[in-house]
Amino acid sequence: QVQLVESGGGLVQAGGSLRLSCAASGRTFSSYAMGWFRQAPGEEREFVATINWSDSTYYADSVKGRFTISRDNAKKTVYLQMNSLKPEDTAVYYCAAAEGGRTWLQSTYKYWGQGTQVTVSL
């Protein structure tokens, strides 16, 4: 069983930066692939980024070059550094853990956090 708690969301102006954190419980954090997803108002939840147990990363095209996912296994935490934020990045951001597979798909993930709101103003 893994519990995930996101933090670091907030209100930021366009062009600014935020760093989201996701703290995990459980003894096998290092064996999970971790992902970030987001859901804007009235939209479907979408993939943002993922990092696997060997620190291999993959990003949605919409955030590539602006967002960076990383993990600290000793702290059981995954991060999402978001730079050059745009109003269209406004969403609730969710952290998730998967045991493997197609980690760009929501259905792959077994555990989810409650989400943290990110709002980007003009």
Side-chain angles (χ1 to χ4, degrees):
Q1 187 78 6
V2 176
Q3 292 185 325
L4 304 171
V5 178
E6 302 97 335
S7 62
L11 174 64
V12 63
Q13 286 190 325
S17 298
L18 280 175
R19 188 176 80 155
L20 305 183
S21 299
C22 173
S25 65
R27 292 179 292 178
T28 58
F29 173 78
S30 61
S31 66
Y32 284 93
M34 301 299 296
W36 286 97
F37 291 78
R38 67 186 181 186
Q39 186 168 19
E43 302 288 333
E44 297 288 322
R45 189 159 57 184
E46 65 176 6
F47 167 75
V48 175
T50 185
I51 185 167
N52 70 6
W53 40 86
S54 63
D55 287 348
S56 178
T57 59
Y58 180 66
Y59 297 91
D61 287 344
S62 59
V63 306
K64 202 172 294 183
R66 300 187 298 123
F67 290 12
T68 302
I69 188 171
S70 61
R71 66 191 298 162
D72 184 331
N73 290 334
K75 295 182 178 179
K76 296 182 182 179
T77 301
V78 62
Y79 304 97
L80 186 68
Q81 177 66 44
M82 306 186 294
N83 299 328
S84 302
L85 282 161
K86 305 175 182 179
E88 50 263 45
D89 294 318
T90 295
V92 177
Y93 283 71
Y94 297 91
C95 169
E99 294 175 341
R102 304 181 199 179
T103 51
W104 62 94
L105 298 177
Q106 295 185 54
S107 57
T108 300
Y109 289 83
K110 188 173 182 180
Y111 303 104
W112 291 84
Q114 294 300 305
T116 185
Q117 176 71 46
V118 171
T119 303
V120 184
S121 65
L122 287 169

